[in-house]
Amino acid sequence: MEDIIAKTNVSGVISTNTTWSSTNSPYIVIGDLLVSNNVRLTIAPGVVVKIDSAKKIQINGELISIGNDSSRILFTSSDSNPTPGDWGLIEFTNTSVDATYDSIGNYSSGSTFQFTDIEYAGHFSNLGAITLTNSSIFIGDVKITNNSSYGVHYRKNSYSTVPVSKILKSSISENGNTGVYCDCYQYNISISIDSCLINENDGNGISTGGGASGGSHSFNYRDCVIKNNTLSGIIANANGSQNILRNIIYNNGQNGIRSRGNGTYKIIKNKILNNRSNGIHGLYTAHEINNNIIANNGGAIKITQGGNFIIKNNTIFKNKGSNNTVFNPSGAWNNVVTIKENSVTENRSGSTLITVFQPTYSGNPSFTVEDNNFFHNYSIFDIYNDRSSSLSDVKAENNFWEDTSNAIISSRLFDWYDNSSKGFIDYEPFRNQLNIT
């Protein structure tokens, strides 16, 4: 005797508040489904939602999908042999009910996925498994995997301001494009991603798009593991503030972090390891790079275009590159640079670890390298001063150079004494012991 499994076919418009129960599960979405404005669809723990080929769920109202640790909710393909891209997406339009939070930042109300799994979506290659148009939701303890496009996709249909979206304790992995993607150009939006695994996506781990001007943003990426993505770990391109804190970012196919925009970027207490290109590539805005471990990358830190850089209290070791392995200013403009209190060790470079660049435009920005430890590196020079002699000296005092001989230290520094068209490097006084303060 065959088992009889209850199922409920659904499609069309949901125009009154509705609950999908585990008793009537699985729900088979046989045609496009629309939750109307001011209408709530609630999905109970344990419900399975199977979606037919190329079909989508559109939320103009509110979706509450809250399972629990022992009874998760599942959105999946209706195909008996599912593959990524079988079904379309879950889309939240600009009329959907945004998530709200209490005074300490915990989810309070509005559209949400919690203890929910979403797989095999992505039929529309330019949209995500979850796509939000001028809207925000709360995502907590969710698995978004094996979708053929983006995992989560934030986009706009006009210049707008959107409340904060939060992604917490979730896994966004093995998707066919970037894990979390925001088309953030000329878009006022705030996104927080905390304690997540973002892994093995065929794109970037997180990306805030290609535009760097217009709009105002607040992005926080904290306590995440971002690894094994085909492109970069984080593409942080947008205006406003970006706080990248306490993440492990490793083994990504391009940069660990690439950041560009107007605002203030803080990259603090991360472990940025084994990325194929640079650990950090910063462009165009003020960066505070503080107390990170930057190791085994194709280069430690690269800067391009404008922006001032404070690089302090980092451990920078075992990075490898053809040149400028620790600090590469290729394409930099008139940046003020401070490299201070870092430990720089066992890096390999064909010529030099740090190049002091000639400003692209008029001006005389300061370049300071002080109170660092340089030891056991493999390069011809530790610092190469490419600035003209008419500009101010490079301040390189109170560093530990592994040797106390003036002759040996000066041989590790390229400046006026090697080419009289270049400026001086002021390296005295220097430390006789490691700086451990």
Side-chain angles (χ1 to χ4, degrees):
M1 179 180 295
E2 294 183 358
D3 291 334
I4 298 174
I5 301 174
K7 66 177 181 179
T8 306
N9 291 336
V10 291
S11 65
V13 177
I14 297 176
S15 56
T16 60
N17 290 343
T18 299
T19 297
W20 289 357
S21 67
S22 58
T23 303
N24 295 316
S25 176
Y27 289 79
I28 314 298
V29 179
I30 60 174
D32 289 343
L33 186 72
L34 171 66
V35 179
S36 296
N37 292 28
N38 303 312
V39 172
R40 175 186 295 164
L41 172 61
T42 301
I43 302 178
V47 166
V48 175
V49 182
K50 296 184 177 183
I51 301 100
D52 280 356
S53 176
K55 300 302 184 284
K56 70 176 184 178
I57 300 172
Q58 180 176 322
I59 311 299
N60 289 359
E62 183 177 11
L63 176 64
I64 306 294
S65 175
I66 302 179
N68 56 55
D69 197 32
S70 60
S71 190
R72 300 179 68 88
I73 294 166
L74 174 64
F75 289 82
T76 188
S77 170
S78 63
D79 196 296
S80 59
N81 295 298
T83 58
D86 277 353
W87 58 280
L89 71 154
I90 304 170
E91 179 181 10
F92 294 82
T93 70
N94 61 350
T95 65
S96 64
V97 178
D98 294 328
T100 63
Y101 305 92
D102 64 20
S103 59
I104 59 173
N106 293 321
Y107 169 79
S108 178
S109 66
S111 295
T112 183
F113 293 102
Q114 298 177 46
F115 294 98
T116 298
D117 301 337
I118 300 169
E119 61 185 17
Y120 301 121
H123 180 81
F124 307 106
S125 61
N126 61 332
L127 300 172
I130 300 172
T131 295
L132 301 99
T133 303
N134 290 5
S135 58
S136 72
I137 64 173
F138 172 68
I139 297 172
D141 292 279
V142 170
K143 296 177 183 177
I144 303 170
T145 186
N146 285 315
N147 301 286
S148 64
S149 186
Y150 309 110
V152 181
H153 181 190
Y154 300 90
R155 65 174 186 160
K156 63 184 184 298
N157 60 11
S158 63
Y159 188 91
S160 58
T161 299
V162 179
V164 64
S165 278
K166 295 186 178 184
I167 304 175
L168 175 66
K169 295 180 181 178
S170 294
S171 174
I172 303 172
S173 300
E174 299 181 67
N175 297 291
N177 207 320
T178 292
V180 180
Y181 177 72
C182 179
D183 179 12
C184 290
Y185 182 69
Q186 293 187 343
Y187 192 14
N188 298 329
I189 187 169
S190 297
I191 301 172
S192 292
I193 303 176
D194 292 271
S195 302
C196 291
L197 171 64
I198 301 176
N199 173 49
E200 294 188 9
N201 296 288
D202 195 11
N204 303 293
I206 300 169
S207 174
T208 52
S213 61
S216 179
H217 319 95
S218 176
F219 296 129
N220 297 290
Y221 313 128
R222 297 168 295 212
D223 302 302
C224 295
V225 176
I226 303 169
K227 64 175 183 173
N228 298 331
N229 298 288
T230 301
L231 301 179
S232 293
I234 300 175
I235 299 290
N237 291 349
N239 290 352
S241 64
Q242 301 233 22
N243 298 304
I244 303 174
L245 311 176
R246 302 182 302 273
N247 302 284
I248 300 173
I249 304 169
Y250 76 95
N251 204 37
N252 296 288
Q254 294 183 358
N255 299 290
I257 300 169
R258 183 186 186 275
S259 50
R260 184 182 189 274
N262 290 302
T264 301
Y265 290 7
K266 295 185 177 182
I267 302 173
I268 299 174
K269 292 186 177 179
N270 301 281
K271 296 177 182 178
I272 306 170
L273 315 170
N274 293 89
N275 298 287
R276 184 168 297 180
S277 189
N278 300 284
I280 300 170
H281 183 184
L283 301 89
Y284 203 70
T285 192
H287 283 73
E288 178 186 347
I289 301 171
N290 189 356
N291 204 17
N292 302 281
I293 297 173
I294 307 171
N296 284 304
N297 303 287
I301 299 169
K302 180 179 180 179
I303 72 167
T304 307
Q305 300 178 349
N308 299 326
F309 288 78
I310 298 174
I311 302 168
K312 186 176 180 182
N313 289 323
N314 301 284
T315 300
I316 303 172
F317 72 100
K318 290 189 176 180
N319 299 283
K320 304 176 183 67
S322 59
N323 201 15
N324 302 317
T325 301
V326 171
F327 181 83
N328 181 357
S330 176
W333 293 347
N334 282 46
N335 318 69
V336 174
V337 175
T338 301
I339 302 174
K340 185 173 182 178
E341 297 175 1
N342 302 283
S343 179
V344 181
T345 181
E346 296 188 56
N347 300 282
R348 291 183 178 272
S349 181
S351 178
T352 185
L353 300 179
I354 298 171
T355 290
V356 183
F357 57 95
Q358 175 71 16
T360 301
Y361 306 108
S362 60
N364 189 7
S366 64
F367 198 110
T368 302
V369 185
E370 62 183 13
D371 295 306
N372 302 282
N373 296 317
F374 291 88
F375 60 100
H376 297 168
N377 295 291
Y378 306 93
S379 64
I380 299 172
F381 301 107
D382 289 338
I383 304 176
Y384 187 104
N385 187 7
D386 200 33
R387 300 177 74 166
S388 67
S389 59
S390 62
L391 299 180
S392 59
D393 295 344
V394 176
K395 299 176 183 178
E397 299 177 348
N398 297 311
N399 294 294
F400 173 74
W401 301 101
E402 196 176 5
D403 204 292
T404 58
S405 163
N406 271 311
I408 291 176
I409 294 172
S410 63
S411 73
R412 305 283 302 167
L413 308 174
F414 184 98
D415 66 353
W416 183 90
Y417 292 102
D418 304 282
N419 182 339
S420 61
S421 69
K422 306 300 181 183
F424 290 94
I425 299 175
D426 179 11
Y427 68 90
E428 294 186 282
F430 53 83
R431 293 178 181 270
N432 295 322
Q433 296 179 338
L434 287 169
N435 178 15
I436 59 173
T437 57

